[in-house]
Amino acid sequence: TTTDESPAPATDSPAASTETAAPESETPSYEPATVRVAYMPNLGSAGSLFVGIEQGYFEEVGLTVEPFEFQGGPAEIAAMASGDIDLCMLPVPAATTVMMQNSDVRDAIDLNDAWTESGAQGTFTMGCVVVRTEFAQEHPEAVEAFLQEYEASINYIKDNPEEGGQLIEQYG
């Protein structure tokens, strides 16, 4: 489902597969949680999000990820600022705008730092993933698990460029 106003669950989300990101002995367990995640299909965040769902990365650590599709930044910013969603990837200055509108939103990860730390070449133009502070305080393990499995989905794309490219094309 797409929106320019308020979020609605994406009904065409792929079902999680039975594949796992890591052997069970290496996979941490967390308290089950539902994470409402905003994405815009024209940004790279959609591909990594849906790879994580498709590969079952989030599900295997007890996370139910509810993707909410937005067609424009203003609607996504409003939904994050109002608390209708828990997590989203926003470029700067949109992330700053959300954090100014809602003091309960904070940086979950600075993707520029993660890009630099990974040793990747070039410039990373996306700013950060943000999370509502209340959600992060109530579900710190869910936020950590989401970020770890989101990283696993990015690594899947890097390690499987053909399959990853198809998923990115499919989901945005």
Side-chain angles (χ1 to χ4, degrees):
T1 304
T2 61
T3 184
D4 285 327
E5 295 174 17
S6 62
T11 57
D12 58 350
S13 297
S17 74
T18 58
E19 296 180 32
T20 59
E24 198 166 314
S25 62
E26 296 176 27
T27 304
S29 61
Y30 300 95
E31 288 292 318
T34 298
V35 184
R36 300 168 299 172
V37 180
Y39 73 95
M40 291 188 351
N42 60 334
L43 299 177
S45 63
S48 298
L49 175 65
F50 284 104
V51 165
I53 293 170
E54 182 101 1
Q55 295 301 310
Y57 295 154
F58 304 117
E59 182 179 60
E60 77 177 23
V61 295
L63 297 179
T64 301
V65 175
E66 294 180 352
F68 293 89
E69 181 178 311
F70 289 85
Q71 293 301 309
E76 185 176 17
I77 290 167
M80 188 68 197
S82 71
D84 288 341
I85 55 175
D86 300 311
L87 234 152
C88 69
M89 183 179 291
L90 291 172
V92 173
T96 303
T97 299
V98 168
M99 290 185 283
M100 289 176 63
Q101 291 177 3
N102 184 339
S103 62
D104 289 330
V105 174
R106 65 172 182 85
D107 286 343
I109 185 172
D110 185 320
L111 295 176
N112 292 309
D113 290 344
W115 181 265
T116 301
E117 291 169 10
S118 76
Q121 300 297 311
T123 303
F124 188 76
T125 57
M126 183 61 66
C128 62
V129 173
V130 296
V131 62
R132 289 185 311 105
T133 300
E134 178 183 354
F135 183 84
Q137 289 172 344
E138 290 176 5
H139 306 284
E141 291 179 338
V143 173
E144 180 65 26
F146 180 88
L147 294 174
Q148 288 176 357
E149 301 312 318
Y150 193 79
E151 179 181 5
S153 67
I154 292 168
N155 289 333
Y156 176 87
I157 293 168
K158 288 177 12 186
D159 296 341
N160 303 282
E162 188 172 317
E163 294 91 348
Q166 291 171 352
L167 288 167
I168 290 170
E169 184 178 339
Q170 180 179 352
Y171 295 109

